[in-house]
């Protein structure tokens, strides 16, 4: 491996590069679709001369995305999309071994988090990749002078897409966005199986609890909530779902879970997981009602789903009892436990989604970056869904990488499905 010239960066410790490199390589074994895309990018160079700034969780999987983009000719700069999600060894390897500028340190404060976003913008991107829309929002609020050179951007997560659609509605959006989250090959797998597994993993690593027999309250029954419910149930937990959407609540009931309002769930839950994208899902009144020893974790994008300021106010004492576990002793003597500062627990206390599922998400990101490089100038500033052919290609390539063949329609079957003449 050749050592590239030093690049602009702010990372924890460059001596962490060797283990980081090994872990990036390990993840790549589980990312065959992204690897294929990287190989074709290396030949065709569709991103030659394109500057890409990515505000993404700095993980082994993101490293493989950055390397695929770089193979396509892009110059890549990265910053973290969450103060607690950075894998410092990965950041070190990208800087030391691959000439990728990285601005990210696990545990950075909010001020540093935004300084890192600004540093990634000094790269003057043509394409902005985001996870949560902090990068896009910063560009639109404070760095508008960069907008004329920006061909477009992508957005990885539900919360980010919601923010960007709100910008679109307000007429504030100034460049086209491809909502990667909306690809079927993204949210049906990453949000469900990725969040399902990695959230249970994060809570387990932080606490070492036995899930069997626990009353686990899952707040929100979107794709992420479904995944966490499924996996918690698989571990033997008794799952209770809270929802505000009647159809989703009904789905949770028919999937076999108990559904109740948060006020009722607060009294009975042993473990609470928020995944709604909303605000104060666990509020002061719920904190006041919880059992002694209740554990709270968040797996939604922002750390606002649990009312942490209220928890701080109610507490007379707090102490870190294990890494990522804060014990709050309340005035009435109860103890409540907050994991990972209420930030994405799967990335704070574990390694995020496994590489095999990020393979599909980041294959979509890579192909959408190419799409924006080729078509961005023709697109108006709107939020677009992922082009159907990209979504379908990712699914096909993933199946093929797993050695799974499927059937194809015969000509007769196709004609039948396309016609309205035949009925009873
Ligand atoms: N989001 C959730 N898991 C992730 C991972 N492993 N890498 C990057 N982004 C993620």
């Amino acid at each position: 491996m050749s050592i590239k010239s030093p690049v602009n960066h702010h990372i924890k410790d460059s001596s962490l590069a060797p283990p980081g490199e090994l872990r990036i390589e390990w993840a790549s074994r589980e990312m065959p679709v992204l690897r294929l895309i990287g190989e074709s990018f290396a030949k065709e160079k569709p991103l030659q001369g394109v500057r890409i700034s990515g505000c993404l969780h700095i993980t082994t999987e993101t490293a493989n995305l950055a390397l695929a983009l770089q193979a396509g000719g892009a110059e890549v700069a990265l910053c973290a999309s969450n103060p607690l999600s950075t894998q410092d060894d990965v950041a070190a390897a990208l800087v030391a071994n691959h000439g990728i500028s990285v601005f990210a340190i696990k545990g950075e404060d909010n001020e540093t988090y935004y300084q890192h976003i600004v540093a990634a913008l000094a790269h003057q991107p043509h394409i902005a990749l985001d996870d949560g829309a902090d990068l896009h929002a910063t560009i639109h609020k404070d760095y508008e002078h960069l907008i004329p050179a920006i061909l477009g951007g992508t957005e990885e997560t539900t919360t980010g897409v919601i923010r960007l659609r709100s910008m679109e509605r307000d007429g504030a959006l100034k460049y086209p966005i491809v909502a990667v989250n909306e690809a079927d090959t993204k949210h049906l797998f990453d949000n469900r199986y990725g969040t399902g597994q990695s959230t249970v993993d994060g809570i387990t690593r932080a606490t070492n609890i036995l899930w069997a027999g626990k009353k686990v309250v899952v707040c929100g029954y979107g794709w992420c909530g479904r995944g966490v419910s499924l996996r918690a149930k698989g571990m033997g937990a008794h799952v209770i779902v809270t929802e505000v959407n009647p159809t989703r609540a009904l789905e949770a009931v028919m999937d076999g879970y108990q559904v109740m309002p948060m006020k009722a769930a607060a009294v009975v839950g042993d473990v609470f997981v928020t995944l709604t994208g909303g605000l104060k899902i666990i509020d002061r009144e719920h904190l006041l009602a919880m059992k002694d020893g209740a554990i709270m974790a968040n797996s939604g994008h922002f750390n606002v789903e649990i009312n942490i300021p209220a928890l701080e106010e109610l507490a007379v004492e707090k102490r870190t009892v294990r890494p990522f576990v804060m014990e709050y002793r309340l005035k009435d003597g109860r103890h409540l436990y907050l994991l990972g500062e209420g930030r994405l627990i799967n990335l704070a206390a574990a390694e995020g989604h496994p590489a095999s599922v990020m393979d599909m998400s980041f294959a979509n990101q890579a192909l959408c970056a190419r799409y924006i490089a080729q078509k961005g100038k023709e697109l108006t500033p709107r939020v677009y869904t992922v082009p159907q052919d990209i979504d379908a290609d990712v699914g096909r390539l993933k199946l093929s990488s797993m050695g799974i063949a499927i059937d194809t329609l015969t000509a007769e079957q196709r004609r039948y499905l396309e016609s309205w003449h035949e009925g009873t």
Side-chain angles (χ1 to χ4, degrees):
M1 181 177 32
S2 66
I3 304 291
K4 300 268 169 64
S5 60
V7 291
N8 204 357
H9 62 271
H10 187 212
I11 58 172
K12 183 168 182 204
D13 179 357
S14 51
S15 75
L16 298 173
E21 190 65 36
L22 285 173
R23 293 201 317 110
I24 293 170
E25 196 185 307
W26 177 256
S28 84
R29 281 180 237 269
E30 289 274 87
M31 303 184 87
V33 180
L34 188 62
R35 200 168 51 241
L36 271 180
I37 292 169
E39 283 162 13
S40 95
F41 276 13
K43 285 192 204 112
E44 291 159 20
K45 299 282 177 197
L47 299 170
Q48 193 62 53
V50 176
R51 286 190 301 273
I52 298 182
S53 295
C55 178
L56 300 166
H57 302 298
I58 307 301
T59 64
T60 52
E61 293 73 30
T62 301
N64 279 288
L65 169 62
L67 295 177
L69 298 171
Q70 189 183 51
E75 289 169 37
V76 183
L78 296 175
C79 61
S81 59
N82 184 293
L84 263 191
S85 62
T86 298
Q87 298 172 1
D88 291 313
D89 57 343
V90 170
L94 286 173
V95 168
N97 302 338
H98 300 285
I100 290 177
S101 295
V102 182
F103 307 91
I105 298 176
K106 188 173 177 105
E108 62 198 19
D109 59 20
N110 263 26
E111 196 185 337
T112 313
Y113 172 78
Y114 275 102
Q115 281 168 359
H116 284 164
I117 289 185
V118 171
L121 286 178
H123 191 53
Q124 301 195 311
H126 302 114
I127 297 178
L129 313 181
D130 209 350
D131 186 332
D134 282 343
L135 182 71
H136 297 310
T138 303
I139 293 170
H140 282 76
K141 281 189 213 155
D142 303 323
Y143 291 84
E144 280 176 292
H145 65 279
L146 296 176
I147 290 175
I150 297 180
L151 295 165
T154 65
E155 175 50 53
E156 169 76 6
T157 201
T158 318
T159 295
V161 174
I162 290 170
R163 285 178 87 186
L164 288 156
R165 288 208 187 281
S166 156
M167 287 171 74
E168 183 184 25
R169 265 197 315 278
D170 287 352
L173 189 66
K174 296 287 187 315
Y175 51 77
I177 297 285
V178 181
V180 168
N181 185 64
E182 290 181 2
D184 285 344
T185 50
K186 198 282 184 180
H187 66 264
L188 293 178
F189 301 90
D190 170 315
N191 301 25
R192 179 167 36 178
Y193 304 115
T195 307
Q197 178 169 327
S198 62
T199 299
V200 170
D201 184 17
I203 296 172
T204 308
R205 289 199 209 189
T207 61
N208 199 27
I209 57 162
L210 179 73
W211 290 81
K214 289 274 188 306
K215 287 201 167 67
V216 175
V217 179
V218 177
C219 308
Y221 205 64
W223 289 111
C224 295
R226 284 166 214 207
V228 172
S229 301
L230 193 65
R231 293 300 173 242
K233 184 178 178 179
M235 300 285 277
H238 174 95
V239 175
I240 297 166
V241 170
T242 70
E243 245 304 336
V244 290
N245 176 311
T247 313
R248 286 184 175 179
L250 206 49
E251 261 187 288
V253 171
M254 297 208 185
D255 286 346
Y257 306 114
Q258 214 180 339
V259 174
M260 60 179 77
M262 192 58 212
K263 210 167 174 172
V267 185
V268 292
D270 299 307
V271 179
F272 295 81
V273 189
T274 53
L275 315 95
T276 69
L279 181 73
K280 296 185 184 171
I281 309 309
I282 299 182
D283 209 349
R284 177 186 291 266
E285 60 169 321
H286 309 123
L287 297 169
L288 287 169
M290 282 179 183
K291 295 194 290 195
D292 181 35
I295 294 172
M296 292 170 277
N298 168 54
S299 223
H301 188 79
F302 289 117
N303 63 338
V304 294
E305 303 209 18
I306 301 169
N307 189 343
I308 300 171
L311 184 57
E312 297 272 344
E313 266 174 45
L314 292 171
V316 288
E317 194 188 353
K318 69 172 187 180
R319 58 185 184 140
T320 302
V321 289
R322 291 166 59 98
F324 307 111
V325 184
M326 185 65 81
E327 179 187 71
Y328 289 85
R329 186 163 65 80
L330 308 195
K331 293 183 188 98
D332 58 16
R334 283 176 306 129
H335 300 85
L336 299 181
Y337 295 92
L338 176 67
L339 307 189
E341 301 170 22
R343 299 196 188 275
L344 284 163
I345 193 59
N346 58 339
L347 284 140
E351 293 167 67
H353 304 351
S356 179
V357 85
M358 292 312 295
D359 188 27
M360 297 159 80
S361 311
F362 285 168
N364 275 293
Q365 284 280 3
L367 294 177
C368 288
R370 181 178 69 182
Y371 174 76
I372 292 166
Q374 289 168 348
K375 292 272 183 344
K377 281 200 184 112
E378 298 161 29
L379 302 174
T380 52
R382 282 183 25 223
V383 178
Y384 293 85
T385 53
V386 172
Q388 282 254 309
D389 56 332
I390 291 184
D391 203 354
D393 280 350
V394 171
R396 228 184 334 267
L397 288 169
K398 188 69 177 175
L399 267 179
S400 139
S401 78
M402 296 165 92
I404 296 170
I406 59 170
D407 293 320
T408 47
L409 292 171
T410 63
E412 185 187 14
Q413 286 171 327
R414 191 181 298 280
R415 266 196 311 279
Y416 172 80
L417 288 172
E418 284 168 0
S419 130
W420 56 272
H421 292 285
E422 282 188 56
T424 311

